Amino acid sequence: MASSLSKIAISTASIVILSQMKELRKRRRRTTWVNSFLKGRNYTQPLDDLGAYETELFRNFCRMSLSDFNILLGKIDEKVSRKDINYRESIPASVRLAQTLRFLATGDSHGSLNYLFRISKPSISKIIPEVCEAIVHALKDYVKMPEN
């Protein structure tokens, strides 16, 4: 008799727990797609601030001169550019390149780049490999890669 009562108690408790878990899932639904920190972003602000004042600041930030940056940007612009859509503007190719160069030069984490450029971590994790691939493809005539 005691075992049948304990089985009923366990099954009742599991039903209650499952119903509470469903209620928690319903309450946790997102109301927005973008974090409030990222909503008021200006993608080009870090680059505008650096480029407008001194080229030495830009060189220190990207580990590349502004003229070399523009040459490289011209070579990869078509591969890394995206079109704006109705509800979201795309991240410019110049910002994608600067972010990738900053990552390669300093080894900053995606979280650090998130705060610096105001771009989400998932976007950063897609942008960096994409831009690296475009750079390798654009500079394959200038840099000899090992064959084995």
Side-chain angles (χ1 to χ4, degrees), residues 92-111:
S94 60
V95 174
R96 290 170 175 259
L97 178 58
Q99 175 186 333
T100 303
L101 291 175
R102 182 73 181 169
F103 174 77
L104 294 173
T106 63
D108 282 349
S109 67
H110 291 185

Side-chain angles (χ1 to χ4, degrees), residues 2 5 13 21 31 36 43-45 52 60 75-77 87 94 98 101 108 111 114 122-123 127 131 140 142 148:
L5 284 176
M21 288 175 61
T31 56
S36 61
Y43 293 121
T44 60
Q45 184 178 356
N60 188 26
K75 290 182 182 289
I76 68 167
D77 189 23
Y87 56 90
S94 60
L101 291 175
D108 282 349
N114 172 24
S123 294
I127 290 171
V131 173
K140 68 181 176 186
Y142 300 99
N148 53 359

Side-chain angles (χ1 to χ4, degrees), residues 72-90:
L72 183 58
L73 180 61
K75 290 182 182 289
I76 68 167
D77 189 23
E78 289 181 10
K79 288 194 178 250
V80 299
S81 292
R82 299 290 179 260
K83 292 182 179 180
D84 290 343
I85 52 179
N86 290 340
Y87 56 90
R88 189 178 334 151
E89 69 181 53
S90 65

Side-chain angles (χ1 to χ4, degrees), residues 43-56:
Y43 293 121
T44 60
Q45 184 178 356
L47 295 179
D48 293 343
D49 291 346
L50 292 171
Y53 296 112
E54 294 181 39
T55 57
E56 193 57 36

Side-chain angles (χ1 to χ4, degrees), residues 38 99 110-112 114-115 119-127:
L38 300 175
Q99 175 186 333
H110 291 185
S112 172
N114 172 24
Y115 292 115
I119 298 173
S120 68
K121 291 179 196 177
S123 294
I124 291 170
S125 67
K126 290 178 184 176
I127 290 171

Side-chain angles (χ1 to χ4, degrees), residues 28-40:
R28 281 192 279 166
R29 295 220 170 137
R30 291 185 187 183
T31 56
T32 60
W33 286 15
V34 179
N35 188 331
S36 61
F37 170 72
L38 300 175
K39 278 185 182 177

